[in-house]
PDB file of all heavy atoms in Angstrom:
ATOM      1  N   GLY A1483      -9.237  -3.892  -2.308  1.00 66.00           N
ATOM      2  CA  GLY A1483     -10.390  -4.643  -2.715  1.00 66.00           C
ATOM      3  C   GLY A1483     -10.045  -6.077  -3.097  1.00 66.00           C
ATOM      4  O   GLY A1483     -10.922  -6.957  -3.061  1.00 66.00           O
ATOM      5  N   ALA A1531       9.610   0.170  -7.802  1.00 68.00           N
ATOM      6  CA  ALA A1531       9.661   1.522  -7.329  1.00 68.00           C
ATOM      7  C   ALA A1531       9.018   2.439  -8.350  1.00 68.00           C
ATOM      8  O   ALA A1531       8.990   2.113  -9.532  1.00 68.00           O
ATOM      9  CB  ALA A1531      11.124   1.981  -7.098  1.00 68.00           C
ATOM     10  N   LYS A1560       5.585  11.534  15.646  1.00 86.00           N
ATOM     11  CA  LYS A1560       5.482  12.615  16.667  1.00 86.00           C
ATOM     12  C   LYS A1560       4.350  13.583  16.281  1.00 86.00           C
ATOM     13  O   LYS A1560       4.089  14.551  17.083  1.00 86.00           O
ATOM     14  CB  LYS A1560       6.759  13.399  16.750  1.00 86.00           C
ATOM     15  CG  LYS A1560       8.016  12.518  17.143  1.00 86.00           C
ATOM     16  CD  LYS A1560       9.260  13.369  17.121  1.00 86.00           C
ATOM     17  CE  LYS A1560      10.496  12.437  17.397  1.00 86.00           C
ATOM     18  NZ  LYS A1560      11.775  13.206  17.330  1.00 86.00           N
ATOM     19  N   ALA A1569      -4.876   6.012  16.814  1.00 95.00           N
ATOM     20  CA  ALA A1569      -5.678   5.514  18.008  1.00 95.00           C
ATOM     21  C   ALA A1569      -7.143   5.294  17.573  1.00 95.00           C
ATOM     22  O   ALA A1569      -7.734   4.259  17.976  1.00 95.00           O
ATOM     23  CB  ALA A1569      -5.663   6.598  19.068  1.00 95.00           C
ATOM     24  N   GLY A1570      -7.700   6.136  16.754  1.00 96.00           N
ATOM     25  CA  GLY A1570      -9.085   5.960  16.287  1.00 96.00           C
ATOM     26  C   GLY A1570      -9.273   4.714  15.462  1.00 96.00           C
ATOM     27  O   GLY A1570     -10.195   3.919  15.687  1.00 96.00           O
ATOM     28  N   ARG A1590     -25.673 -20.165  13.113  1.00 92.00           N
ATOM     29  CA  ARG A1590     -25.881 -21.515  13.574  1.00 92.00           C
ATOM     30  C   ARG A1590     -26.646 -21.525  14.905  1.00 92.00           C
ATOM     31  O   ARG A1590     -27.453 -22.488  15.087  1.00 92.00           O
ATOM     32  CB  ARG A1590     -24.501 -22.238  13.736  1.00 92.00           C
ATOM     33  CG  ARG A1590     -23.783 -22.483  12.376  1.00 92.00           C
ATOM     34  CD  ARG A1590     -24.527 -23.553  11.597  1.00 92.00           C
ATOM     35  NE  ARG A1590     -24.491 -24.835  12.262  1.00 92.00           N
ATOM     36  CZ  ARG A1590     -25.399 -25.788  12.130  1.00 92.00           C
ATOM     37  NH1 ARG A1590     -26.450 -25.602  11.369  1.00 92.00           N
ATOM     38  NH2 ARG A1590     -25.250 -26.978  12.731  1.00 92.00           N
ATOM     39  N   LEU A1629     -15.030  10.714   4.915  1.00 93.00           N
ATOM     40  CA  LEU A1629     -15.623   9.439   4.563  1.00 93.00           C
ATOM     41  C   LEU A1629     -15.221   8.369   5.579  1.00 93.00           C
ATOM     42  O   LEU A1629     -16.062   7.484   5.909  1.00 93.00           O
ATOM     43  CB  LEU A1629     -15.230   9.032   3.163  1.00 93.00           C
ATOM     44  CG  LEU A1629     -16.134   9.442   2.025  1.00 93.00           C
ATOM     45  CD1 LEU A1629     -17.515   8.743   2.106  1.00 93.00           C
ATOM     46  CD2 LEU A1629     -16.365  10.976   1.984  1.00 93.00           C
ATOM     47  N   GLU A1682       8.625  10.767   1.653  1.00 76.00           N
ATOM     48  CA  GLU A1682       9.712   9.999   2.239  1.00 76.00           C
ATOM     49  C   GLU A1682       9.255   9.199   3.448  1.00 76.00           C
ATOM     50  O   GLU A1682       9.913   8.196   3.810  1.00 76.00           O
ATOM     51  CB  GLU A1682      10.860  10.934   2.657  1.00 76.00           C
ATOM     52  CG  GLU A1682      11.532  11.664   1.563  1.00 76.00           C
ATOM     53  CD  GLU A1682      10.754  12.917   1.091  1.00 76.00           C
ATOM     54  OE1 GLU A1682       9.792  13.285   1.808  1.00 76.00           O
ATOM     55  OE2 GLU A1682      11.100  13.460   0.062  1.00 76.00           O
ATOM     56  N   LEU A1695      -2.768  -1.333  14.473  1.00 93.00           N
ATOM     57  CA  LEU A1695      -3.932  -2.143  14.067  1.00 93.00           C
ATOM     58  C   LEU A1695      -3.702  -3.584  14.410  1.00 93.00           C
ATOM     59  O   LEU A1695      -4.639  -4.292  14.822  1.00 93.00           O
ATOM     60  CB  LEU A1695      -4.279  -1.973  12.592  1.00 93.00           C
ATOM     61  CG  LEU A1695      -4.588  -0.563  12.128  1.00 93.00           C
ATOM     62  CD1 LEU A1695      -5.032  -0.606  10.685  1.00 93.00           C
ATOM     63  CD2 LEU A1695      -5.668   0.078  13.001  1.00 93.00           C
ATOM     64  N   LEU A1700      -5.379  -8.261  17.323  1.00 90.00           N
ATOM     65  CA  LEU A1700      -4.978  -9.452  17.993  1.00 90.00           C
ATOM     66  C   LEU A1700      -5.758  -9.647  19.285  1.00 90.00           C
ATOM     67  O   LEU A1700      -6.180 -10.779  19.649  1.00 90.00           O
ATOM     68  CB  LEU A1700      -3.462  -9.379  18.309  1.00 90.00           C
ATOM     69  CG  LEU A1700      -2.867 -10.491  19.180  1.00 90.00           C
ATOM     70  CD1 LEU A1700      -2.899 -11.820  18.433  1.00 90.00           C
ATOM     71  CD2 LEU A1700      -1.411 -10.111  19.574  1.00 90.00           C
ATOM     72  N   TYR A1713     -21.688 -13.911  27.900  1.00 94.00           N
ATOM     73  CA  TYR A1713     -22.859 -13.017  27.920  1.00 94.00           C
ATOM     74  C   TYR A1713     -23.738 -13.080  26.663  1.00 94.00           C
ATOM     75  O   TYR A1713     -24.779 -12.415  26.600  1.00 94.00           O
ATOM     76  CB  TYR A1713     -22.426 -11.594  28.106  1.00 94.00           C
ATOM     77  CG  TYR A1713     -21.551 -11.370  29.327  1.00 94.00           C
ATOM     78  CD1 TYR A1713     -20.203 -11.211  29.235  1.00 94.00           C
ATOM     79  CD2 TYR A1713     -22.102 -11.361  30.632  1.00 94.00           C
ATOM     80  CE1 TYR A1713     -19.389 -11.007  30.352  1.00 94.00           C
ATOM     81  CE2 TYR A1713     -21.354 -11.181  31.721  1.00 94.00           C
ATOM     82  CZ  TYR A1713     -19.994 -11.038  31.582  1.00 94.00           C
ATOM     83  OH  TYR A1713     -19.152 -10.872  32.721  1.00 94.00           O
TER      84      TYR A1713
END
Side-chain angles (χ1 to χ4, degrees):
K1560 302 175 184 178
R1590 290 291 294 152
L1629 267 293
E1682 295 81 11
L1695 300 185
L1700 175 65
Y1713 305 105

